[in-house]
Amino acid sequence: MKQVSILSSAVAAALFSQSTMAAVITGQVLDKNQQPISNAEIHVHGKSQSVVTDKQGQFKIDVDNKGQLHISKNNFIDKRVAINGEDQNVVVTLTPTSVETVVVYASALHKNSLEMISPVNVLAGDELKDKAKPTLGETLKALPGVNASYFGPVSSSPIIRGLDGPRVKITQNGLDSSDASRIGPDHATSNDSLAAEQIEVLRGPATLLYGSGAIGGVVNVVDNRIPTDNIESLTGAAQYTHDTVSNTNTYAAKLETGNDGFNFHFDGTKRKGHDYDTPNFELPEEHEEHEEHEGEEHEEHETANSVENTFIGSQTVNFGTSYVGDHLTLGVSYGRIETDYGIPAHEHHHHEEEEEDHDEHEGEEHEESVFAQLEQDRWQGYMSYALHDNWIENISLRVGYTDYKHAEIEDGAVGTVFTNKTTEARATVEHKLGLWHGMAGYHYTESDYDADGEEAFTPASVTKTNALFVLEERQFGDVTVELGARLEDYQIDSAVSMAEHHHDHEEEEEHHDEEEAEIINYSEDFTNLSLSAGAIWQYQEGQSVALSVSRSERAPLSAELLSNGIHIATGTYELGLGYHIEDGEIHFEPEDIEQETATNFDLSFRRFIGDFGYTVNFFYNDIENYYYQQNTGLVFDEEHGLESAADADEDAMAVYQFTSKDAKLYGIEFDVHYQVTPSALVKVFGDSTTAKLKDDKGYLPRIPANKLGSELQYTVSDWKFSLTGTHYFEQSDITAYETKTDGYTLFDASANYQLDLGPVDTQLYINVDNLTDELGFVHSSFIKEKAPLPGRNFSLGIRGYF
């Protein structure tokens, strides 16, 4: 006991001892012309205290020991200045940058977008407001290396470098979104980009902080629902937008205020829209039509100029409050989402409403179609304690609880209900050990998933993860090195019904009731180890090269492992990794399932100084046991069960099973810009991804087409104009059951006018999407032939800030 007491005292002394050193650092921040820069932020690197410069560019900050001052200002390159813990005066000269610098919250180590070793894109400010769409996929798809799954514009998830689903982690303020968007492409994400402060897209080593399975990347939606800075006065914003292509009206508002360290936040959005219009396109033949005209040739196809069942009605409301003191920050937030949205191409055999009644009952479309009702309650809590003069710099805790429900309504009745209740906690300790600055932490999640109804093709399951992670960085002159690791225990539990595995054996009918009662309690543990290393070399001011490598293990999700049933949205019968087909029977044999293991290399070249700048990323991803859905060559018929496609009826569904094979994905993404004049900026951007199985066994399915685009921005007086053209190339690198997708070119334009209305900063804007009304099909979509991209859309709006 005496030894334990001595050890405890030693630990407490190391943790809470106060340094005797104290100093005041004064200084001035200037530009290249030796003019003062006001409102530049100065803080001690790795710690929370910060100040801003006055109109003369001067500042004063108290420090307790030696370290680094981090000086940052929008449109200037950040600079770090060493301090020795004694009183001193510094003069700092900042160099203008050709790109906007933004602090990346998901980086965990207070890095901005130019200092990141891993490739990163950040949408923020007016750019985010102009590009915000109802879904994350549509909001982000123009970024290099990013595309969208596209199950209509109201259900569209991000695809990063050809990877989607569980390989792309979607978080809100660092905690999982906890919806059902990873179960099927027809399930919308629950994140609303309209209320976001910024959206970050990360690749590489930093993703290990959020889950070992995020080999594609992390999309982090950042909002201020738990304010972490003191708000001294009442501020707010309001916005209204009307979209002509779907007759959609969107309203958004935000209010924030604070006093004496206590802060309050409110935001809300409301969106209501109808089916969207498209250029005229041919509908794919229905099976009934095929049979009716089997003997006829060159029968004219039915055409359409809109996509039915793509309406949306959504409203969100969020409240948050916090206390921000010198050392302690405490906060909590609550958010509620209610969304009804149509599910296009959702084929059921009992849809026989009379066409002539459509217009008469347009207002009753919710009762005549298949649509989803999404509801989500989300609580988040945050605690941070800063130790300003200690080797432990900050201790923080984020906790969240999400209650998610997704009900599919068929002819006014509830068909299938998906629920997901998630508890999550992330505790981190930011520290400085010698010359190393880093973060260590513990991450816990528990997800209780259930599905009940006709489309419940994945059984109920409970998934738990316990993980330890660490991320460390150190500077060696102009080189910064970053190392990361994550050790994760992944456990999945489910009750698998064996009655679903026999469909076509009449001799077993007498035992059917007995089989129905047979339940297998399945439980499996996986240990995932992920490692990363990277370095960035600032070889000249404003120019750098970065290299990173990571190795990540991922266990299968319940949908990949345990699916067994009809997925009506995709028109397929889905089987998981845990099943085996033999003589027309499905057997549950989940043995020898190995983790998906990805080894990723990233090489980035960046220039962000002067009038000319660029970011070019090369990547190579070698993946062992890549999980993907493969056509088995069989079909499923409700009467006969599994059978050969050659012997099946037209209504039979193709059977796709998750399998694991070695794969490789590689490519390039780039963004180049040139400031032609102070008023004119030209950008060129693009990406290319090749995704194939190893040993020349073919390509992976639904890989997005390559794209190449250019943008012109022009500012004159209070006007800002932009014109963007993006060409999506033909996608002919396809699997055996896919069809190629023709290329197309989209032109988008926008105009923004700044109004002077006294205390209210007001902007009028008009955006024109698909200016030439081009017909385009998305290769990565499960329903590409039935849901082309929207036609020409005029988006008119006004936003104001005070």
Side-chain angles (χ1 to χ4, degrees), residues 190-251:
S190 59
N191 303 90
D192 193 328
S193 56
L194 204 61
E197 300 286 326
Q198 65 186 52
I199 302 177
E200 306 164 348
V201 181
L202 285 78
R203 299 87 157 172
T207 63
L208 298 186
L209 298 178
Y210 301 96
S212 56
I215 64 174
V218 172
V219 176
N220 186 40
V221 180
V222 180
D223 56 52
N224 197 39
R225 289 166 185 167
I226 300 179
T228 54
D229 291 316
N230 279 320
I231 304 171
E232 303 297 339
S233 61
L234 177 65
T235 62
Q239 179 174 337
Y240 166 76
T241 305
H242 176 76
D243 292 306
T244 61
V245 76
S246 57
N247 194 25
T248 298
N249 293 303
T250 304
Y251 309 85

Side-chain angles (χ1 to χ4, degrees), residues 111-392:
K111 291 179 175 293
N112 65 43
S113 51
L114 303 183
E115 299 173 314
M116 292 286 292
I117 294 175
S118 307
V120 62
N121 295 105
V122 181
L123 277 182
D126 288 339
E127 183 183 15
L128 172 58
K129 297 294 187 294
D130 291 338
K131 294 182 178 180
K133 305 292 184 184
T135 65
L136 278 181
E138 294 305 289
T139 299
L140 301 174
K141 70 177 185 179
L143 296 175
V146 183
N147 288 276
S149 60
Y150 200 76
F151 209 91
V154 295
S155 181
S156 180
S157 297
I159 299 175
I160 300 178
R161 296 175 170 177
L163 300 173
D164 62 351
R167 300 179 183 91
V168 175
K169 189 83 166 178
I170 298 178
T171 63
Q172 182 177 327
N173 300 318
L175 296 181
D176 197 288
S177 295
S178 305
D179 50 38
S181 61
R182 298 300 169 257
I183 302 300
D186 56 321
H187 296 175
T189 60
S190 59
N191 303 90
D192 193 328
S193 56
L194 204 61
E197 300 286 326
Q198 65 186 52
I199 302 177
E200 306 164 348
V201 181
L202 285 78
R203 299 87 157 172
T207 63
L208 298 186
L209 298 178
Y210 301 96
S212 56
I215 64 174
V218 172
V219 176
N220 186 40
V221 180
V222 180
D223 56 52
N224 197 39
R225 289 166 185 167
I226 300 179
T228 54
D229 291 316
N230 279 320
I231 304 171
E232 303 297 339
S233 61
L234 177 65
T235 62
Q239 179 174 337
Y240 166 76
T241 305
H242 176 76
D243 292 306
T244 61
V245 76
S246 57
N247 194 25
T248 298
N249 293 303
T250 304
Y251 309 85
K254 180 178 75 172
L255 288 174
E256 293 182 336
T257 189
N259 182 51
D260 197 23
F262 291 92
N263 310 280
F264 304 91
H265 171 97
F266 162 81
D267 71 75
T269 62
K270 185 174 183 178
R271 179 184 288 112
K272 185 173 179 60
H274 304 277
D275 295 349
Y276 72 89
D277 297 330
T278 70
N280 202 54
F281 70 101
E282 289 186 352
L283 291 169
E285 281 190 272
E286 300 293 340
H287 298 309
E288 294 80 4
E289 294 175 343
H290 178 78
E291 292 172 357
E292 181 181 349
H293 303 291
E294 189 173 4
E296 301 178 20
E297 295 183 359
H298 306 295
E299 185 70 26
E300 289 189 6
H301 287 266
E302 184 181 357
T303 62
N305 55 16
S306 67
V307 178
E308 295 182 0
N309 211 23
T310 53
F311 62 86
I312 184 172
S314 175
Q315 56 187 15
T316 68
V317 61
N318 298 278
F319 300 92
T321 184
S322 68
Y323 169 77
V324 179
D326 291 337
H327 293 264
L328 179 66
T329 299
L330 284 173
V332 64
S333 69
Y334 166 75
R336 170 75 175 176
I337 300 173
E338 296 179 357
T339 301
D340 291 359
Y341 66 93
I343 304 177
H346 213 66
E347 297 175 358
H348 290 268
H349 300 295
H350 45 273
H351 284 187
E352 299 180 357
E353 290 80 12
E354 295 292 335
E355 289 291 333
E356 58 267 21
D357 292 339
H358 178 74
D359 294 334
E360 180 181 349
H361 299 288
E362 187 176 8
E364 301 175 16
E365 61 182 337
H366 286 200
E367 297 184 1
E368 298 180 352
S369 58
V370 180
F371 72 101
Q373 282 186 342
L374 186 159
E375 299 177 0
Q376 178 176 283
D377 294 291
R378 183 179 180 90
W379 293 88
Q380 283 194 332
Y382 176 68
M383 184 279 292
S384 175
Y385 188 81
L387 294 85
H388 294 324
D389 60 346
N390 204 283
W391 65 277
I392 290 183

Side-chain angles (χ1 to χ4, degrees), residues 25 66-71 80-85 88 90:
I25 308 298
K66 63 183 180 180
Q68 279 187 340
L69 290 185
H70 184 186
I71 300 94
R80 302 182 188 275
V81 176
I83 53 175
N84 55 24
Q88 63 186 102
V90 296

Side-chain angles (χ1 to χ4, degrees), residues 8 13 169 229 310 383 510 584 622 638 650 652 670 687 743 778:
S8 300
K169 189 83 166 178
D229 291 316
T310 53
M383 184 279 292
E510 59 188 80
D622 185 289
E638 292 184 356
E650 290 288 342
F670 61 91
D687 58 53
V778 181

